[in-house]
Amino acid sequence: ARRVVVSGAASGIGASLTRMLQEQGDEVVGVDLHGTAVCADLSTEEGRAGAVAGVLEAAGGRVDAVVACAGLSVPEPTAVRVNLFGAVALLEGLRPALAEAGAPRAAVVGSITGTGVVDEQLVSACLAGDETAATARARQMTDGGSGGLIYPSSKSALAQWVRARSVAPGWAGEGIALNVVAPGVVRTPMTEALLDDERMRAAMDEAVPMPLNGHAGPDAVAGALRWLVSAENTHVTGQVLYVDGGAEATLRGPGR
Ligand code: NAD
C-alpha cells in the first residue's frame, strides 16, 4: 500500500481525497488542526516542525506521496502563512523521505484566483521565502482594505513555487513529480456560506464562470489529485491542472 500524507485532511477536498485513497487501499496520514493522526498548526514554524516530525513518526519514515490541501481564504496574514509557507514547509520537510520512495509524488492545491489580480509585493516576498516580509505586507493589506488579495497572491506564489521547484535539484532528479491542482469554485465548508448567499454567489459566478457542469464537488478536485500522486503518473510535473469547469479557458481565452 502507498502511504500518502494529506494536509487539510479533516475537511472538504482533503477529506474527500483521504476517503478515495483509503478506498483504493492506500494508507493516509492526515494532518490538520484537529481530528487527524497528526494535529498541527501549519501557520507557525513550531507547528510545521511538529507536523513533519509527527508524520515521520506516524509513517515510520516511509512516505510515498504528499498532498498539501490545508488552506484558508480569510483576508488576514494567516492565509499566506498557511497557504504558501505551511505548504512549502511540509513539502520541503518531507522531501528527503519522499526521495527514498520508489514512486514519490507531491501535489498542492492552488486556485483559479491565482491567475487574476494579485499583490506583486506579497508574491515577491513569498517567492523570496521571506515570511517576515510576507506577513508584514499582508498585515498592511488587511489594515488598508485589500486583504482580499492575500488569498489569490498566496495561491499565485504557490503555483510559481511549484513550477520552479519541480525541475530544481532534489525534485525531478529524485523522481518526485510535483504539481498543482487549481480548482474553480468547490462546494466545501470553505464556500458553503458564500454559496448560500444569493448576492455572494452571483459575484462568485461572475468572477469564476464555470460553463462545464457548474460548481464542483470536492471529489472532482480530489480525483485529479489522486491521479497526480499515483504511481501511474510518471511524467507529469510542474503543471497547474485547472479543475474549474472551464473558468480558466473562459477568463484567459485561447492562447498559444
Ligand atoms: P476546508 O475549509 O473544507 O478545508 C481546509 C482544511 O484546512 C480544514 O480542515 C482546515 O482545518 C485546514 N487548515 C486551515 N488552517 C490550517 C492550519 N493553520 N493548520 C493546519 N490545517 C489548517 O476547505 P477546502 O475547500 O477543502 O479547501 C482545501 C484547499 O482547496 C485549500 O487550500 C483551498 O484554498 C483550496 N481551494 C478551495 C476552493 C473552494 O472553492 N472550496 C477553491 C480553490 C482552492
Side-chain angles (χ1 to χ4, degrees):
R2 282 168 73 71
R3 196 167 288 157
V4 184
V5 177
V6 179
S7 78
S11 177
I13 294 165
S16 175
L17 176 63
T18 296
R19 182 185 39 75
M20 279 187 187
L21 292 169
Q22 287 170 339
E23 279 171 9
Q24 70 185 18
D26 291 342
E27 278 173 40
V28 175
V29 179
V31 180
D32 209 307
L33 290 168
H34 312 283
T36 39
V38 176
C39 294
D41 180 353
L42 293 170
S43 73
T44 70
E45 277 181 41
E46 198 187 12
R48 294 165 200 155
V52 170
V55 163
L56 291 175
E57 196 186 314
R62 189 172 69 77
V63 176
D64 295 292
V66 180
V67 185
C69 294
L72 74 177
S73 56
V74 296
E76 304 277 340
T78 183
V80 72
R81 296 182 68 94
V82 175
N83 299 357
L84 187 278
F85 293 97
V88 166
L90 189 69
L91 290 174
E92 292 284 13
L94 295 173
R95 195 189 56 74
L98 275 175
E100 300 294 314
R105 311 283 182 256
V108 304
V109 182
S111 167
I112 181 67
T113 65
T115 66
V117 178
V118 299
D119 182 80
E120 294 301 341
Q121 198 180 324
L122 179 54
V123 172
S124 296
C126 288
L127 294 178
D130 189 341
E131 188 166 12
T132 304
T135 302
R137 176 59 187 158
R139 171 54 56 203
Q140 277 181 345
M141 291 165 69
T142 303
D143 294 346
S146 62
L149 288 183
I150 297 173
Y151 179 81
S153 302
S154 73
K155 295 298 191 178
S156 171
L158 185 60
Q160 292 181 62
W161 181 83
V162 164
R163 285 191 59 82
R165 295 312 280 169
S166 63
V167 289
W171 294 88
E174 304 287 335
I176 309 172
L178 174 61
N179 291 284
V180 183
V181 170
V185 178
V186 190
R187 291 171 190 279
T188 68
M190 181 183 279
T191 51
E192 244 158 40
L194 295 171
L195 291 175
D196 287 347
D197 176 323
E198 220 167 282
R199 236 163 34 96
M200 286 308 302
R201 187 190 162 114
M204 287 166 81
D205 287 344
E206 200 183 324
V208 185
M210 300 180 67
L212 179 71
N213 296 326
H215 301 148
D219 284 5
V221 180
L225 289 165
R226 170 173 61 167
W227 185 80
L228 284 169
V229 301
S230 72
E232 198 179 338
N233 173 24
T234 55
H235 285 78
V236 177
T237 199
Q239 299 304 303
V240 182
L241 175 58
Y242 292 92
V243 179
D244 66 353
E248 193 264 349
T250 303
L251 296 168
R252 284 179 155 173
R256 190 156 57 89

